[in-house]
Amino acid sequence: MPKIVISEFMDEAAIAGELGGFATLYDPGLVDRPADLMAALAGADALVVRNRTQVNAALLAAAPDLKVVGRLGVGLDNIDLAACRARGIAVYPATGANDVAVAEYVIGTAMLLLRGAYGATDAVAAGTWPRNALMGREIAGKRLGLVGFGAIARETARRAVALGMQVAAHDPLLPAEDPAWRPAYGTIARLDLDTLLAGSDVLSLHVPLTPETRGMIDARALARMPAGAVLINAARGEVIEVAAVAAALRGGHLGGAALDVFPQEPLDAAAGAVFRDLPNLILTPHIAGVTRESNVRVSAVTARAVRRHLSEG
């Protein structure tokens, strides 16, 4: 009977419902115990991970019988795809299952940062009544720039247009004739990156980590953005230059930022020191795509893909 190892958190109902006929080891703490994970993989046919488990050459070498990797999410930069292909190991991301969660995170943090009024609880309760200091901005009429225009960015665009935003995107891999640029709710402007940066009140990143995207939002890119613009990164931490973002916030050129991903995860106190005492900054622990609802969807999609592969193989 195939053995399935699950090294990070997953909806347990999906495990029971979709993988109930297989010998399954579910231990979400394995990601933090590399030696135990390698030992567990010695006879495994399937491995299910999120973004923290590094499916690299060393891990694959510890799993000689591995046939399939299920990814509880869509980013694949933690999986050595070339090594998997060479071994004939199938890789299944949970495409589409967390699109809504990330889109809502982007819109929610954009509204929070533009309005700037929601951190006043202690001051109001203390009787200081800081009303004049909290006159923020509306999202309606603002320009949203999307770097990358895949499925998550399109979900974000649909919500943004409904709120009265003007939406543009940069995606050199998506041809101009693709119908995604002309959805039923309105046309999305297709721009080069510099033009997009210069015209975005809110900039949201939706690109995978590649040699081309690594560090693409650097000091130069930030300087091109309008004064007071808001940056949101729920893609990959290495897409931005963290020190440049911190400097732009501290200097006042950036009006706010929401960062859900980081070059080092989990972020420790030393790596997080660059963010200390920065104004109008939201930091979240790689949670944009994880809601109770999306966890159920992602888990079910991934479990079904693994079950199907093992059953058909």
Side-chain angles (χ1 to χ4, degrees):
M1 183 180 295
K3 179 181 176 184
I4 301 170
V5 174
I6 304 168
S7 63
E8 298 182 62
F9 72 91
M10 185 175 177
D11 180 58
E12 294 189 28
I15 298 172
E18 302 291 345
L19 302 177
F22 300 98
T24 301
L25 171 62
Y26 174 52
D27 183 350
L30 277 175
V31 63
D32 295 313
R33 306 195 313 273
D36 291 346
L37 176 57
M38 287 189 175
L41 287 171
D45 291 313
L47 170 64
V48 177
V49 303
R50 285 189 182 267
N51 63 292
R52 290 184 57 216
T53 304
Q54 298 301 307
V55 186
N56 51 29
L59 193 70
L60 292 171
D65 299 326
L66 197 66
K67 299 175 178 64
V68 58
V69 175
R71 166 70 168 93
L72 295 158
V74 293
L76 297 174
D77 48 285
N78 62 312
I79 299 174
D80 188 334
L81 296 176
C84 287
R85 281 194 297 270
R87 286 263 307 271
I89 299 169
V91 177
Y92 293 102
T95 304
N98 65 357
D99 295 356
V100 168
V102 180
E104 289 189 357
Y105 175 93
V106 172
I107 296 299
T109 53
M111 296 179 79
L112 188 71
L113 290 166
L114 287 169
R115 193 64 184 264
Y118 304 113
T121 299
D122 290 343
V124 172
T128 61
W129 207 249
R131 191 179 187 204
N132 291 344
L134 296 176
M135 189 179 297
R137 295 174 284 173
E138 298 173 357
I139 200 169
K142 297 300 182 292
R143 301 165 296 177
L144 173 64
L146 300 165
V147 182
F149 198 52
I152 293 173
R154 296 172 201 178
E155 287 286 346
T156 304
R158 185 164 66 85
R159 287 159 176 75
V161 169
L163 289 168
M165 299 189 82
Q166 303 168 42
V167 182
H170 167 72
D171 194 328
L173 301 181
L174 191 65
E177 63 272 15
D178 194 291
W181 298 109
R182 296 172 295 282
Y185 55 81
T187 299
I188 305 300
R190 184 176 185 265
L191 303 177
D192 64 80
L193 182 58
D194 281 349
T195 303
L196 185 79
L197 291 170
S200 296
D201 300 305
V202 177
L203 187 76
S204 185
L205 309 180
H206 298 273
V207 291
L209 180 62
T210 67
E212 292 74 27
T213 64
R214 184 182 294 273
M216 70 186 303
I217 305 302
D218 54 11
R220 174 191 170 279
L222 293 167
R224 288 195 62 83
M225 295 174 65
V230 164
L231 172 69
I232 301 171
N233 186 18
R236 285 294 179 266
E238 295 90 340
V239 172
I240 69 171
E241 289 190 359
V242 170
V245 171
L249 283 167
R250 187 167 282 112
H253 181 69
L254 267 186
L259 308 179
D260 185 57
V261 289
F262 306 91
Q264 175 187 321
E265 293 185 7
L267 198 66
D268 60 24
V274 68
F275 301 114
R276 194 167 296 133
D277 300 323
L278 290 179
N280 219 21
L281 173 65
I282 297 170
L283 301 181
T284 51
H286 206 141
I287 200 72
V290 184
T291 60
R292 293 176 184 175
E293 295 87 351
S294 74
N295 185 45
V296 170
R297 292 192 300 268
V298 164
S299 298
V301 166
T302 304
R304 280 196 293 268
V306 169
R307 183 195 67 201
R308 185 172 57 250
H309 188 88
L310 293 177
S311 298
E312 294 174 354

mmCIF file of all heavy atoms in Angstrom, residues 149-176:
data_model
loop_
_atom_site.group_PDB
_atom_site.id
_atom_site.type_symbol
_atom_site.label_atom_id
_atom_site.label_comp_id
_atom_site.label_asym_id
_atom_site.label_seq_id
_atom_site.Cartn_x
_atom_site.Cartn_y
_atom_site.Cartn_z
ATOM 1 N N PHE A 149 -0.196 39.018 -14.447
ATOM 2 C CA PHE A 149 -1.649 39.017 -14.611
ATOM 3 C C PHE A 149 -2.164 37.598 -14.798
ATOM 4 O O PHE A 149 -2.876 37.286 -15.740
ATOM 5 C CB PHE A 149 -2.065 39.917 -15.786
ATOM 6 C CG PHE A 149 -3.516 40.317 -15.756
ATOM 7 C CD1 PHE A 149 -4.073 40.885 -14.618
ATOM 8 C CD2 PHE A 149 -4.330 40.105 -16.855
ATOM 9 C CE1 PHE A 149 -5.409 41.239 -14.573
ATOM 10 C CE2 PHE A 149 -5.674 40.453 -16.821
ATOM 11 C CZ PHE A 149 -6.216 41.023 -15.678
ATOM 12 N N GLY A 150 -1.784 36.747 -13.851
ATOM 13 C CA GLY A 150 -2.290 35.385 -13.818
ATOM 14 C C GLY A 150 -3.618 35.323 -13.091
ATOM 15 O O GLY A 150 -4.299 36.337 -12.889
ATOM 16 N N ALA A 151 -3.979 34.131 -12.658
ATOM 17 C CA ALA A 151 -5.308 33.905 -12.093
ATOM 18 C C ALA A 151 -5.569 34.733 -10.842
ATOM 19 O O ALA A 151 -6.663 35.294 -10.676
ATOM 20 C CB ALA A 151 -5.486 32.417 -11.789
ATOM 21 N N ILE A 152 -4.595 34.827 -9.942
ATOM 22 C CA ILE A 152 -4.810 35.585 -8.706
ATOM 23 C C ILE A 152 -4.938 37.069 -9.011
ATOM 24 O O ILE A 152 -5.818 37.760 -8.468
ATOM 25 C CB ILE A 152 -3.675 35.325 -7.706
ATOM 26 C CG1 ILE A 152 -3.713 33.872 -7.226
ATOM 27 C CG2 ILE A 152 -3.779 36.277 -6.519
ATOM 28 C CD1 ILE A 152 -2.533 33.476 -6.354
ATOM 29 N N ALA A 153 -4.086 37.581 -9.893
ATOM 30 C CA ALA A 153 -4.173 38.989 -10.258
ATOM 31 C C ALA A 153 -5.512 39.305 -10.908
ATOM 32 O O ALA A 153 -6.086 40.379 -10.697
ATOM 33 C CB ALA A 153 -3.028 39.352 -11.192
ATOM 34 N N ARG A 154 -6.039 38.372 -11.690
ATOM 35 C CA ARG A 154 -7.329 38.611 -12.343
ATOM 36 C C ARG A 154 -8.470 38.650 -11.332
ATOM 37 O O ARG A 154 -9.399 39.448 -11.456
ATOM 38 C CB ARG A 154 -7.577 37.531 -13.408
ATOM 39 C CG ARG A 154 -6.564 37.588 -14.542
ATOM 40 C CD ARG A 154 -6.697 36.403 -15.492
ATOM 41 N NE ARG A 154 -5.457 36.212 -16.236
ATOM 42 C CZ ARG A 154 -5.243 35.238 -17.104
ATOM 43 N NH1 ARG A 154 -6.209 34.359 -17.358
ATOM 44 N NH2 ARG A 154 -4.079 35.134 -17.716
ATOM 45 N N GLU A 155 -8.404 37.789 -10.318
ATOM 46 C CA GLU A 155 -9.395 37.851 -9.251
ATOM 47 C C GLU A 155 -9.300 39.193 -8.513
ATOM 48 O O GLU A 155 -10.317 39.791 -8.137
ATOM 49 C CB GLU A 155 -9.202 36.700 -8.264
ATOM 50 C CG GLU A 155 -9.625 35.345 -8.783
ATOM 51 C CD GLU A 155 -11.141 35.184 -8.840
ATOM 52 O OE1 GLU A 155 -11.866 36.016 -8.235
ATOM 53 O OE2 GLU A 155 -11.603 34.240 -9.503
ATOM 54 N N THR A 156 -8.075 39.658 -8.310
ATOM 55 C CA THR A 156 -7.866 40.944 -7.651
ATOM 56 C C THR A 156 -8.433 42.073 -8.502
ATOM 57 O O THR A 156 -9.105 42.984 -7.992
ATOM 58 C CB THR A 156 -6.365 41.164 -7.396
ATOM 59 O OG1 THR A 156 -5.840 40.073 -6.631
ATOM 60 C CG2 THR A 156 -6.127 42.459 -6.644
ATOM 61 N N ALA A 157 -8.173 42.019 -9.795
ATOM 62 C CA ALA A 157 -8.659 43.063 -10.704
ATOM 63 C C ALA A 157 -10.174 43.142 -10.696
ATOM 64 O O ALA A 157 -10.755 44.246 -10.690
ATOM 65 C CB ALA A 157 -8.154 42.786 -12.117
ATOM 66 N N ARG A 158 -10.834 42.008 -10.704
ATOM 67 C CA ARG A 158 -12.297 41.991 -10.727
ATOM 68 C C ARG A 158 -12.861 42.697 -9.492
ATOM 69 O O ARG A 158 -13.814 43.486 -9.585
ATOM 70 C CB ARG A 158 -12.798 40.544 -10.796
ATOM 71 C CG ARG A 158 -14.305 40.414 -10.937
ATOM 72 C CD ARG A 158 -14.688 39.017 -11.391
ATOM 73 N NE ARG A 158 -14.378 37.997 -10.398
ATOM 74 C CZ ARG A 158 -15.194 37.672 -9.388
ATOM 75 N NH1 ARG A 158 -16.345 38.293 -9.246
ATOM 76 N NH2 ARG A 158 -14.857 36.715 -8.552
ATOM 77 N N ARG A 159 -12.280 42.443 -8.338
ATOM 78 C CA ARG A 159 -12.742 43.092 -7.119
ATOM 79 C C ARG A 159 -12.404 44.582 -7.121
ATOM 80 O O ARG A 159 -13.191 45.412 -6.650
ATOM 81 C CB ARG A 159 -12.116 42.402 -5.903
ATOM 82 C CG ARG A 159 -12.732 41.038 -5.638
ATOM 83 C CD ARG A 159 -11.840 40.142 -4.805
ATOM 84 N NE ARG A 159 -12.516 38.891 -4.490
ATOM 85 C CZ ARG A 159 -12.694 37.892 -5.366
ATOM 86 N NH1 ARG A 159 -12.205 37.999 -6.607
ATOM 87 N NH2 ARG A 159 -13.335 36.793 -5.009
ATOM 88 N N ALA A 160 -11.237 44.917 -7.645
ATOM 89 C CA ALA A 160 -10.828 46.320 -7.671
ATOM 90 C C ALA A 160 -11.741 47.158 -8.563
ATOM 91 O O ALA A 160 -12.134 48.272 -8.192
ATOM 92 C CB ALA A 160 -9.383 46.417 -8.161
ATOM 93 N N VAL A 161 -12.078 46.623 -9.727
ATOM 94 C CA VAL A 161 -12.975 47.345 -10.626
ATOM 95 C C VAL A 161 -14.337 47.555 -9.968
ATOM 96 O O VAL A 161 -14.952 48.624 -10.070
ATOM 97 C CB VAL A 161 -13.115 46.594 -11.962
ATOM 98 C CG1 VAL A 161 -14.237 47.176 -12.810
ATOM 99 C CG2 VAL A 161 -11.794 46.650 -12.737
ATOM 100 N N ALA A 162 -14.817 46.544 -9.244
ATOM 101 C CA ALA A 162 -16.102 46.672 -8.563
ATOM 102 C C ALA A 162 -16.077 47.783 -7.518
ATOM 103 O O ALA A 162 -17.119 48.377 -7.206
ATOM 104 C CB ALA A 162 -16.476 45.346 -7.911
ATOM 105 N N LEU A 163 -14.895 48.102 -6.998
ATOM 106 C CA LEU A 163 -14.755 49.159 -5.996
ATOM 107 C C LEU A 163 -14.450 50.515 -6.623
ATOM 108 O O LEU A 163 -14.212 51.488 -5.904
ATOM 109 C CB LEU A 163 -13.649 48.790 -5.008
ATOM 110 C CG LEU A 163 -13.982 47.640 -4.055
ATOM 111 C CD1 LEU A 163 -12.732 47.172 -3.324
ATOM 112 C CD2 LEU A 163 -15.052 48.059 -3.058
ATOM 113 N N GLY A 164 -14.428 50.564 -7.951
ATOM 114 C CA GLY A 164 -14.215 51.836 -8.622
ATOM 115 C C GLY A 164 -12.775 52.171 -8.913
ATOM 116 O O GLY A 164 -12.451 53.330 -9.232
ATOM 117 N N MET A 165 -11.875 51.201 -8.833
ATOM 118 C CA MET A 165 -10.476 51.448 -9.157
ATOM 119 C C MET A 165 -10.241 51.362 -10.662
ATOM 120 O O MET A 165 -10.980 50.698 -11.387
ATOM 121 C CB MET A 165 -9.562 50.440 -8.449
ATOM 122 C CG MET A 165 -9.622 50.460 -6.947
ATOM 123 S SD MET A 165 -8.325 49.418 -6.181
ATOM 124 C CE MET A 165 -6.929 50.550 -6.237
ATOM 125 N N GLN A 166 -9.194 52.036 -11.126
ATOM 126 C CA GLN A 166 -8.694 51.878 -12.480
ATOM 127 C C GLN A 166 -7.574 50.827 -12.414
ATOM 128 O O GLN A 166 -6.688 50.941 -11.573
ATOM 129 C CB GLN A 166 -8.149 53.188 -13.017
ATOM 130 C CG GLN A 166 -9.149 54.334 -12.997
ATOM 131 C CD GLN A 166 -8.466 55.658 -13.268
ATOM 132 O OE1 GLN A 166 -7.605 55.767 -14.140
ATOM 133 N NE2 GLN A 166 -8.839 56.678 -12.500
ATOM 134 N N VAL A 167 -7.611 49.853 -13.304
ATOM 135 C CA VAL A 167 -6.693 48.713 -13.181
ATOM 136 C C VAL A 167 -5.838 48.584 -14.436
ATOM 137 O O VAL A 167 -6.343 48.635 -15.564
ATOM 138 C CB VAL A 167 -7.457 47.402 -12.929
ATOM 139 C CG1 VAL A 167 -6.476 46.240 -12.765
ATOM 140 C CG2 VAL A 167 -8.331 47.520 -11.686
ATOM 141 N N ALA A 168 -4.552 48.401 -14.215
ATOM 142 C CA ALA A 168 -3.605 48.121 -15.293
ATOM 143 C C ALA A 168 -2.686 46.997 -14.832
ATOM 144 O O ALA A 168 -2.578 46.727 -13.635
ATOM 145 C CB ALA A 168 -2.787 49.364 -15.644
ATOM 146 N N ALA A 169 -2.030 46.338 -15.778
ATOM 147 C CA ALA A 169 -1.147 45.226 -15.425
ATOM 148 C C ALA A 169 0.042 45.166 -16.372
ATOM 149 O O ALA A 169 -0.009 45.654 -17.512
ATOM 150 C CB ALA A 169 -1.912 43.901 -15.457
ATOM 151 N N HIS A 170 1.100 44.558 -15.874
ATOM 152 C CA HIS A 170 2.284 44.271 -16.686
ATOM 153 C C HIS A 170 2.519 42.772 -16.662
ATOM 154 O O HIS A 170 2.671 42.178 -15.582
ATOM 155 C CB HIS A 170 3.513 44.987 -16.122
ATOM 156 C CG HIS A 170 4.813 44.511 -16.713
ATOM 157 N ND1 HIS A 170 5.181 44.804 -18.007
ATOM 158 C CD2 HIS A 170 5.803 43.727 -16.195
ATOM 159 C CE1 HIS A 170 6.354 44.247 -18.254
ATOM 160 N NE2 HIS A 170 6.749 43.587 -17.174
ATOM 161 N N ASP A 171 2.497 42.147 -17.822
ATOM 162 C CA ASP A 171 2.758 40.715 -17.918
ATOM 163 C C ASP A 171 3.273 40.416 -19.320
ATOM 164 O O ASP A 171 2.493 40.189 -20.241
ATOM 165 C CB ASP A 171 1.507 39.895 -17.625
ATOM 166 C CG ASP A 171 1.820 38.419 -17.385
ATOM 167 O OD1 ASP A 171 2.785 37.923 -18.000
ATOM 168 O OD2 ASP A 171 1.118 37.775 -16.586
ATOM 169 N N PRO A 172 4.597 40.416 -19.500
ATOM 170 C CA PRO A 172 5.160 40.193 -20.836
ATOM 171 C C PRO A 172 4.913 38.793 -21.373
ATOM 172 O O PRO A 172 5.079 38.560 -22.576
ATOM 173 C CB PRO A 172 6.657 40.458 -20.632
ATOM 174 C CG PRO A 172 6.893 40.214 -19.174
ATOM 175 C CD PRO A 172 5.632 40.633 -18.484
ATOM 176 N N LEU A 173 4.514 37.864 -20.511
ATOM 177 C CA LEU A 173 4.261 36.488 -20.961
ATOM 178 C C LEU A 173 2.827 36.290 -21.450
ATOM 179 O O LEU A 173 2.504 35.229 -21.991
ATOM 180 C CB LEU A 173 4.556 35.510 -19.825
ATOM 181 C CG LEU A 173 5.986 35.547 -19.275
ATOM 182 C CD1 LEU A 173 6.156 34.524 -18.163
ATOM 183 C CD2 LEU A 173 7.013 35.313 -20.372
ATOM 184 N N LEU A 174 1.983 37.296 -21.267
ATOM 185 C CA LEU A 174 0.583 37.194 -21.681
ATOM 186 C C LEU A 174 0.385 38.056 -22.924
ATOM 187 O O LEU A 174 0.464 39.280 -22.847
ATOM 188 C CB LEU A 174 -0.337 37.671 -20.551
ATOM 189 C CG LEU A 174 -1.834 37.388 -20.701
ATOM 190 C CD1 LEU A 174 -2.091 35.881 -20.675
ATOM 191 C CD2 LEU A 174 -2.610 38.075 -19.589
ATOM 192 N N PRO A 175 0.145 37.432 -24.078
ATOM 193 C CA PRO A 175 0.052 38.196 -25.331
ATOM 194 C C PRO A 175 -1.063 39.228 -25.296
ATOM 195 O O PRO A 175 -2.075 39.063 -24.600
ATOM 196 C CB PRO A 175 -0.240 37.113 -26.384
ATOM 197 C CG PRO A 175 0.187 35.825 -25.760
ATOM 198 C CD PRO A 175 -0.029 35.984 -24.288
ATOM 199 N N ALA A 176 -0.877 40.285 -26.079
ATOM 200 C CA ALA A 176 -1.859 41.366 -26.115
ATOM 201 C C ALA A 176 -3.227 40.888 -26.578
ATOM 202 O O ALA A 176 -4.255 41.449 -26.191
ATOM 203 C CB ALA A 176 -1.355 42.487 -27.017
#
